[in-house]
Amino acid sequence: MRHQQILDKLAAPLLVRALNEDLARWVGWQLVAVPEDHRDLGQRVIPPILTRWRCLLDSDDTAAETRHRGWVAMAVLLHRYGLTDQAVTAHASAAIDSLNRDVVLSDAFARQSPAIKDFLSAPPPPLTRRPRRPGTLTLLRPGDVVSIQVEASFHAAFVREVAGGNEYPVIEFYAGRFGRPPTFGELSGRAAGDRGGARFGVVGLTYLPDPANQVRAVASGHRQPPLGIDPGPGEGRYTMTDIIRLQHVIERLFREA
């Protein structure tokens, strides 16, 4: 049995592709950051990946069968990259049972479910090379306004431009945090999160709708960015980051909000 055979049987190509892109990019970055020691790779990879994807995996707003597919895909892709997590594997096993009980997937998936569970329970082979960096082509456009969830908080951002040959959006955060996705009316006339310091080029901020359910559309074609002052000479137009590191950026930027 191969990882891709299981993933294909989930019949969720966009979800699998987006999750694989997040993992491949983040695992690759961690292998570059600490190339000499892979022993704690799982601790550096799994928690931030789960923070992003729990917006789908644990959400009551997500269809049950989508959550179940997500848990199985998470376990399979972690296994592909030489990683495992007991809680994720347990969720995936229960999700397999639910998908079969509700007859969501094919007969072949149901027949092979015991083998799939055994496959995921076995220790994964160690990763021998850095994953290939996935290409990016963002679907966001200038004037889009989005809400980004981290844990139980929501943060709004305005797409100022698309850079790198349509590879990634440059966003600017509005001030404040919200307990639910903000409405456009709540953002109109709102200041920027920080003078010139709330602008980020975000690699991996690719899809809208976001398969991880972390990024949600608020408005499109809006012409008024957050109110604020442009960066001064020598301050830089924006800071480069990616969709996983952005979560830490948000926590730092809105620590006092």
Side-chain angles (χ1 to χ4, degrees), residues 106-133:
S106 65
D107 290 342
F109 180 86
R111 287 195 306 271
Q112 295 180 4
S113 290
I116 292 171
K117 291 182 180 181
D118 290 343
F119 182 79
L120 294 178
S121 298
L127 198 63
T128 58
R129 61 181 180 178
R130 190 173 67 188
R132 185 173 63 180
R133 185 177 183 272

PDB file of all heavy atoms in Angstrom, residues 106-133:
ATOM      1  N   SER A 106     -15.763   4.668  -1.649  1.00  0.00           N
ATOM      2  CA  SER A 106     -15.970   3.496  -2.494  1.00  0.00           C
ATOM      3  C   SER A 106     -15.923   2.198  -1.687  1.00  0.00           C
ATOM      4  O   SER A 106     -15.429   2.156  -0.556  1.00  0.00           O
ATOM      5  CB  SER A 106     -14.891   3.450  -3.574  1.00  0.00           C
ATOM      6  OG  SER A 106     -13.608   3.258  -2.973  1.00  0.00           O
ATOM      7  N   ASP A 107     -16.401   1.146  -2.322  1.00  0.00           N
ATOM      8  CA  ASP A 107     -16.294  -0.188  -1.724  1.00  0.00           C
ATOM      9  C   ASP A 107     -14.837  -0.584  -1.530  1.00  0.00           C
ATOM     10  O   ASP A 107     -14.494  -1.272  -0.566  1.00  0.00           O
ATOM     11  CB  ASP A 107     -16.994  -1.223  -2.606  1.00  0.00           C
ATOM     12  CG  ASP A 107     -18.508  -1.064  -2.602  1.00  0.00           C
ATOM     13  OD1 ASP A 107     -19.025  -0.391  -1.679  1.00  0.00           O
ATOM     14  OD2 ASP A 107     -19.168  -1.598  -3.517  1.00  0.00           O
ATOM     15  N   ALA A 108     -13.975  -0.146  -2.446  1.00  0.00           N
ATOM     16  CA  ALA A 108     -12.552  -0.473  -2.341  1.00  0.00           C
ATOM     17  C   ALA A 108     -11.955   0.133  -1.071  1.00  0.00           C
ATOM     18  O   ALA A 108     -11.140  -0.500  -0.393  1.00  0.00           O
ATOM     19  CB  ALA A 108     -11.805   0.025  -3.574  1.00  0.00           C
ATOM     20  N   PHE A 109     -12.362   1.362  -0.745  1.00  0.00           N
ATOM     21  CA  PHE A 109     -11.882   1.985   0.486  1.00  0.00           C
ATOM     22  C   PHE A 109     -12.349   1.181   1.696  1.00  0.00           C
ATOM     23  O   PHE A 109     -11.572   0.932   2.631  1.00  0.00           O
ATOM     24  CB  PHE A 109     -12.386   3.425   0.583  1.00  0.00           C
ATOM     25  CG  PHE A 109     -11.940   4.151   1.820  1.00  0.00           C
ATOM     26  CD1 PHE A 109     -10.717   4.805   1.860  1.00  0.00           C
ATOM     27  CD2 PHE A 109     -12.749   4.188   2.963  1.00  0.00           C
ATOM     28  CE1 PHE A 109     -10.298   5.477   3.009  1.00  0.00           C
ATOM     29  CE2 PHE A 109     -12.348   4.851   4.101  1.00  0.00           C
ATOM     30  CZ  PHE A 109     -11.118   5.494   4.127  1.00  0.00           C
ATOM     31  N   ALA A 110     -13.605   0.773   1.698  1.00  0.00           N
ATOM     32  CA  ALA A 110     -14.130  -0.002   2.825  1.00  0.00           C
ATOM     33  C   ALA A 110     -13.395  -1.333   2.969  1.00  0.00           C
ATOM     34  O   ALA A 110     -13.040  -1.738   4.088  1.00  0.00           O
ATOM     35  CB  ALA A 110     -15.631  -0.227   2.638  1.00  0.00           C
ATOM     36  N   ARG A 111     -13.156  -2.006   1.847  1.00  0.00           N
ATOM     37  CA  ARG A 111     -12.475  -3.305   1.907  1.00  0.00           C
ATOM     38  C   ARG A 111     -11.042  -3.160   2.424  1.00  0.00           C
ATOM     39  O   ARG A 111     -10.547  -4.019   3.154  1.00  0.00           O
ATOM     40  CB  ARG A 111     -12.464  -3.959   0.516  1.00  0.00           C
ATOM     41  CG  ARG A 111     -13.795  -4.500   0.061  1.00  0.00           C
ATOM     42  CD  ARG A 111     -13.606  -5.425  -1.132  1.00  0.00           C
ATOM     43  NE  ARG A 111     -12.862  -4.787  -2.225  1.00  0.00           N
ATOM     44  CZ  ARG A 111     -13.433  -4.083  -3.206  1.00  0.00           C
ATOM     45  NH1 ARG A 111     -14.752  -3.937  -3.224  1.00  0.00           N
ATOM     46  NH2 ARG A 111     -12.707  -3.555  -4.166  1.00  0.00           N
ATOM     47  N   GLN A 112     -10.396  -2.079   2.049  1.00  0.00           N
ATOM     48  CA  GLN A 112      -8.993  -1.906   2.410  1.00  0.00           C
ATOM     49  C   GLN A 112      -8.793  -1.149   3.726  1.00  0.00           C
ATOM     50  O   GLN A 112      -7.656  -0.903   4.128  1.00  0.00           O
ATOM     51  CB  GLN A 112      -8.257  -1.188   1.284  1.00  0.00           C
ATOM     52  CG  GLN A 112      -8.199  -1.992  -0.002  1.00  0.00           C
ATOM     53  CD  GLN A 112      -7.457  -1.264  -1.106  1.00  0.00           C
ATOM     54  OE1 GLN A 112      -6.920  -0.185  -0.914  1.00  0.00           O
ATOM     55  NE2 GLN A 112      -7.431  -1.865  -2.298  1.00  0.00           N
ATOM     56  N   SER A 113      -9.883  -0.793   4.386  1.00  0.00           N
ATOM     57  CA  SER A 113      -9.771  -0.009   5.615  1.00  0.00           C
ATOM     58  C   SER A 113      -8.908  -0.671   6.695  1.00  0.00           C
ATOM     59  O   SER A 113      -8.091   0.008   7.329  1.00  0.00           O
ATOM     60  CB  SER A 113     -11.167   0.311   6.170  1.00  0.00           C
ATOM     61  OG  SER A 113     -11.825   1.239   5.340  1.00  0.00           O
ATOM     62  N   PRO A 114      -9.054  -1.974   6.959  1.00  0.00           N
ATOM     63  CA  PRO A 114      -8.158  -2.578   7.962  1.00  0.00           C
ATOM     64  C   PRO A 114      -6.683  -2.429   7.593  1.00  0.00           C
ATOM     65  O   PRO A 114      -5.844  -2.140   8.456  1.00  0.00           O
ATOM     66  CB  PRO A 114      -8.602  -4.041   7.983  1.00  0.00           C
ATOM     67  CG  PRO A 114     -10.029  -4.005   7.529  1.00  0.00           C
ATOM     68  CD  PRO A 114     -10.074  -2.933   6.494  1.00  0.00           C
ATOM     69  N   ALA A 115      -6.366  -2.599   6.309  1.00  0.00           N
ATOM     70  CA  ALA A 115      -4.976  -2.449   5.869  1.00  0.00           C
ATOM     71  C   ALA A 115      -4.520  -1.000   5.985  1.00  0.00           C
ATOM     72  O   ALA A 115      -3.356  -0.729   6.325  1.00  0.00           O
ATOM     73  CB  ALA A 115      -4.821  -2.943   4.436  1.00  0.00           C
ATOM     74  N   ILE A 116      -5.417  -0.065   5.707  1.00  0.00           N
ATOM     75  CA  ILE A 116      -5.065   1.355   5.838  1.00  0.00           C
ATOM     76  C   ILE A 116      -4.758   1.697   7.297  1.00  0.00           C
ATOM     77  O   ILE A 116      -3.774   2.386   7.603  1.00  0.00           O
ATOM     78  CB  ILE A 116      -6.215   2.238   5.298  1.00  0.00           C
ATOM     79  CG1 ILE A 116      -6.348   2.075   3.786  1.00  0.00           C
ATOM     80  CG2 ILE A 116      -5.974   3.714   5.648  1.00  0.00           C
ATOM     81  CD1 ILE A 116      -7.573   2.741   3.195  1.00  0.00           C
ATOM     82  N   LYS A 117      -5.578   1.205   8.206  1.00  0.00           N
ATOM     83  CA  LYS A 117      -5.332   1.457   9.629  1.00  0.00           C
ATOM     84  C   LYS A 117      -4.000   0.862  10.067  1.00  0.00           C
ATOM     85  O   LYS A 117      -3.235   1.502  10.807  1.00  0.00           O
ATOM     86  CB  LYS A 117      -6.473   0.880  10.469  1.00  0.00           C
ATOM     87  CG  LYS A 117      -7.797   1.603  10.327  1.00  0.00           C
ATOM     88  CD  LYS A 117      -8.833   0.974  11.251  1.00  0.00           C
ATOM     89  CE  LYS A 117     -10.182   1.633  11.161  1.00  0.00           C
ATOM     90  NZ  LYS A 117     -11.170   1.022  12.084  1.00  0.00           N
ATOM     91  N   ASP A 118      -3.712  -0.353   9.633  1.00  0.00           N
ATOM     92  CA  ASP A 118      -2.435  -0.980   9.984  1.00  0.00           C
ATOM     93  C   ASP A 118      -1.269  -0.177   9.406  1.00  0.00           C
ATOM     94  O   ASP A 118      -0.237   0.005  10.068  1.00  0.00           O
ATOM     95  CB  ASP A 118      -2.382  -2.412   9.455  1.00  0.00           C
ATOM     96  CG  ASP A 118      -3.321  -3.359  10.203  1.00  0.00           C
ATOM     97  OD1 ASP A 118      -3.756  -2.991  11.326  1.00  0.00           O
ATOM     98  OD2 ASP A 118      -3.620  -4.440   9.669  1.00  0.00           O
ATOM     99  N   PHE A 119      -1.439   0.284   8.201  1.00  0.00           N
ATOM    100  CA  PHE A 119      -0.396   1.074   7.531  1.00  0.00           C
ATOM    101  C   PHE A 119      -0.090   2.346   8.314  1.00  0.00           C
ATOM    102  O   PHE A 119       1.074   2.695   8.544  1.00  0.00           O
ATOM    103  CB  PHE A 119      -0.868   1.411   6.120  1.00  0.00           C
ATOM    104  CG  PHE A 119       0.116   2.190   5.292  1.00  0.00           C
ATOM    105  CD1 PHE A 119       1.186   1.570   4.673  1.00  0.00           C
ATOM    106  CD2 PHE A 119      -0.045   3.558   5.117  1.00  0.00           C
ATOM    107  CE1 PHE A 119       2.084   2.288   3.902  1.00  0.00           C
ATOM    108  CE2 PHE A 119       0.846   4.289   4.353  1.00  0.00           C
ATOM    109  CZ  PHE A 119       1.917   3.651   3.733  1.00  0.00           C
ATOM    110  N   LEU A 120      -1.135   3.039   8.756  1.00  0.00           N
ATOM    111  CA  LEU A 120      -0.941   4.298   9.484  1.00  0.00           C
ATOM    112  C   LEU A 120      -0.429   4.065  10.899  1.00  0.00           C
ATOM    113  O   LEU A 120       0.223   4.939  11.474  1.00  0.00           O
ATOM    114  CB  LEU A 120      -2.256   5.079   9.530  1.00  0.00           C
ATOM    115  CG  LEU A 120      -2.779   5.584   8.181  1.00  0.00           C
ATOM    116  CD1 LEU A 120      -4.115   6.285   8.367  1.00  0.00           C
ATOM    117  CD2 LEU A 120      -1.772   6.531   7.529  1.00  0.00           C
ATOM    118  N   SER A 121      -0.710   2.911  11.474  1.00  0.00           N
ATOM    119  CA  SER A 121      -0.237   2.612  12.831  1.00  0.00           C
ATOM    120  C   SER A 121       1.225   2.195  12.864  1.00  0.00           C
ATOM    121  O   SER A 121       1.874   2.273  13.910  1.00  0.00           O
ATOM    122  CB  SER A 121      -1.101   1.503  13.451  1.00  0.00           C
ATOM    123  OG  SER A 121      -2.450   1.919  13.561  1.00  0.00           O
ATOM    124  N   ALA A 122       1.734   1.742  11.724  1.00  0.00           N
ATOM    125  CA  ALA A 122       3.135   1.325  11.666  1.00  0.00           C
ATOM    126  C   ALA A 122       4.045   2.550  11.662  1.00  0.00           C
ATOM    127  O   ALA A 122       3.679   3.602  11.115  1.00  0.00           O
ATOM    128  CB  ALA A 122       3.369   0.491  10.412  1.00  0.00           C
ATOM    129  N   PRO A 123       5.229   2.464  12.265  1.00  0.00           N
ATOM    130  CA  PRO A 123       6.156   3.601  12.242  1.00  0.00           C
ATOM    131  C   PRO A 123       6.482   3.995  10.803  1.00  0.00           C
ATOM    132  O   PRO A 123       6.762   3.127   9.967  1.00  0.00           O
ATOM    133  CB  PRO A 123       7.402   3.060  12.967  1.00  0.00           C
ATOM    134  CG  PRO A 123       6.889   1.931  13.799  1.00  0.00           C
ATOM    135  CD  PRO A 123       5.758   1.324  13.026  1.00  0.00           C
ATOM    136  N   PRO A 124       6.430   5.290  10.486  1.00  0.00           N
ATOM    137  CA  PRO A 124       6.730   5.704   9.112  1.00  0.00           C
ATOM    138  C   PRO A 124       8.223   5.601   8.826  1.00  0.00           C
ATOM    139  O   PRO A 124       9.046   5.777   9.736  1.00  0.00           O
ATOM    140  CB  PRO A 124       6.266   7.161   9.081  1.00  0.00           C
ATOM    141  CG  PRO A 124       6.409   7.630  10.490  1.00  0.00           C
ATOM    142  CD  PRO A 124       6.081   6.432  11.349  1.00  0.00           C
ATOM    143  N   PRO A 125       8.584   5.331   7.588  1.00  0.00           N
ATOM    144  CA  PRO A 125      10.011   5.357   7.250  1.00  0.00           C
ATOM    145  C   PRO A 125      10.545   6.772   7.401  1.00  0.00           C
ATOM    146  O   PRO A 125       9.845   7.742   7.088  1.00  0.00           O
ATOM    147  CB  PRO A 125      10.042   4.890   5.785  1.00  0.00           C
ATOM    148  CG  PRO A 125       8.662   5.149   5.270  1.00  0.00           C
ATOM    149  CD  PRO A 125       7.739   5.001   6.429  1.00  0.00           C
ATOM    150  N   PRO A 126      11.776   6.924   7.888  1.00  0.00           N
ATOM    151  CA  PRO A 126      12.318   8.268   8.077  1.00  0.00           C
ATOM    152  C   PRO A 126      12.475   8.996   6.745  1.00  0.00           C
ATOM    153  O   PRO A 126      12.740   8.385   5.703  1.00  0.00           O
ATOM    154  CB  PRO A 126      13.672   8.020   8.745  1.00  0.00           C
ATOM    155  CG  PRO A 126      14.019   6.612   8.394  1.00  0.00           C
ATOM    156  CD  PRO A 126      12.726   5.880   8.292  1.00  0.00           C
ATOM    157  N   LEU A 127      12.309  10.298   6.805  1.00  0.00           N
ATOM    158  CA  LEU A 127      12.452  11.124   5.610  1.00  0.00           C
ATOM    159  C   LEU A 127      13.925  11.183   5.220  1.00  0.00           C
ATOM    160  O   LEU A 127      14.788  11.452   6.054  1.00  0.00           O
ATOM    161  CB  LEU A 127      11.922  12.528   5.907  1.00  0.00           C
ATOM    162  CG  LEU A 127      11.577  13.426   4.717  1.00  0.00           C
ATOM    163  CD1 LEU A 127      10.447  12.810   3.896  1.00  0.00           C
ATOM    164  CD2 LEU A 127      11.149  14.802   5.224  1.00  0.00           C
ATOM    165  N   THR A 128      14.212  10.901   3.967  1.00  0.00           N
ATOM    166  CA  THR A 128      15.607  10.854   3.524  1.00  0.00           C
ATOM    167  C   THR A 128      16.029  12.072   2.718  1.00  0.00           C
ATOM    168  O   THR A 128      17.212  12.267   2.468  1.00  0.00           O
ATOM    169  CB  THR A 128      15.849   9.593   2.670  1.00  0.00           C
ATOM    170  OG1 THR A 128      14.951   9.599   1.550  1.00  0.00           O
ATOM    171  CG2 THR A 128      15.616   8.336   3.503  1.00  0.00           C
ATOM    172  N   ARG A 129      15.071  12.888   2.313  1.00  0.00           N
ATOM    173  CA  ARG A 129      15.420  14.092   1.562  1.00  0.00           C
ATOM    174  C   ARG A 129      14.359  15.156   1.797  1.00  0.00           C
ATOM    175  O   ARG A 129      13.230  14.850   2.196  1.00  0.00           O
ATOM    176  CB  ARG A 129      15.548  13.799   0.073  1.00  0.00           C
ATOM    177  CG  ARG A 129      14.269  13.289  -0.580  1.00  0.00           C
ATOM    178  CD  ARG A 129      14.488  12.992  -2.045  1.00  0.00           C
ATOM    179  NE  ARG A 129      13.260  12.507  -2.683  1.00  0.00           N
ATOM    180  CZ  ARG A 129      13.159  12.215  -3.977  1.00  0.00           C
ATOM    181  NH1 ARG A 129      14.210  12.362  -4.753  1.00  0.00           N
ATOM    182  NH2 ARG A 129      12.016  11.786  -4.468  1.00  0.00           N
ATOM    183  N   ARG A 130      14.732  16.372   1.535  1.00  0.00           N
ATOM    184  CA  ARG A 130      13.815  17.485   1.737  1.00  0.00           C
ATOM    185  C   ARG A 130      12.711  17.434   0.685  1.00  0.00           C
ATOM    186  O   ARG A 130      12.990  17.209  -0.500  1.00  0.00           O
ATOM    187  CB  ARG A 130      14.575  18.808   1.642  1.00  0.00           C
ATOM    188  CG  ARG A 130      13.764  20.011   2.064  1.00  0.00           C
ATOM    189  CD  ARG A 130      14.644  21.241   2.109  1.00  0.00           C
ATOM    190  NE  ARG A 130      15.098  21.620   0.785  1.00  0.00           N
ATOM    191  CZ  ARG A 130      15.995  22.559   0.551  1.00  0.00           C
ATOM    192  NH1 ARG A 130      16.582  23.184   1.540  1.00  0.00           N
ATOM    193  NH2 ARG A 130      16.345  22.865  -0.688  1.00  0.00           N
ATOM    194  N   PRO A 131      11.447  17.634   1.089  1.00  0.00           N
ATOM    195  CA  PRO A 131      10.354  17.633   0.110  1.00  0.00           C
ATOM    196  C   PRO A 131      10.550  18.726  -0.938  1.00  0.00           C
ATOM    197  O   PRO A 131      11.095  19.794  -0.649  1.00  0.00           O
ATOM    198  CB  PRO A 131       9.110  17.906   0.964  1.00  0.00           C
ATOM    199  CG  PRO A 131       9.499  17.538   2.351  1.00  0.00           C
ATOM    200  CD  PRO A 131      10.957  17.830   2.472  1.00  0.00           C
ATOM    201  N   ARG A 132      10.100  18.448  -2.123  1.00  0.00           N
ATOM    202  CA  ARG A 132      10.168  19.451  -3.181  1.00  0.00           C
ATOM    203  C   ARG A 132       9.251  20.620  -2.841  1.00  0.00           C
ATOM    204  O   ARG A 132       8.107  20.419  -2.445  1.00  0.00           O
ATOM    205  CB  ARG A 132       9.756  18.831  -4.515  1.00  0.00           C
ATOM    206  CG  ARG A 132       9.913  19.780  -5.702  1.00  0.00           C
ATOM    207  CD  ARG A 132       9.655  19.060  -7.003  1.00  0.00           C
ATOM    208  NE  ARG A 132       8.279  18.570  -7.082  1.00  0.00           N
ATOM    209  CZ  ARG A 132       7.795  17.904  -8.117  1.00  0.00           C
ATOM    210  NH1 ARG A 132       8.577  17.612  -9.140  1.00  0.00           N
ATOM    211  NH2 ARG A 132       6.536  17.502  -8.108  1.00  0.00           N
ATOM    212  N   ARG A 133       9.770  21.819  -2.978  1.00  0.00           N
ATOM    213  CA  ARG A 133       8.974  23.007  -2.651  1.00  0.00           C
ATOM    214  C   ARG A 133       7.840  23.161  -3.660  1.00  0.00           C
ATOM    215  O   ARG A 133       8.082  23.236  -4.864  1.00  0.00           O
ATOM    216  CB  ARG A 133       9.865  24.256  -2.670  1.00  0.00           C
ATOM    217  CG  ARG A 133       9.170  25.526  -2.218  1.00  0.00           C
ATOM    218  CD  ARG A 133      10.153  26.688  -2.213  1.00  0.00           C
ATOM    219  NE  ARG A 133       9.546  27.913  -1.716  1.00  0.00           N
ATOM    220  CZ  ARG A 133       8.903  28.786  -2.480  1.00  0.00           C
ATOM    221  NH1 ARG A 133       8.778  28.560  -3.777  1.00  0.00           N
ATOM    222  NH2 ARG A 133       8.388  29.887  -1.954  1.00  0.00           N
TER     223      ARG A 133
END
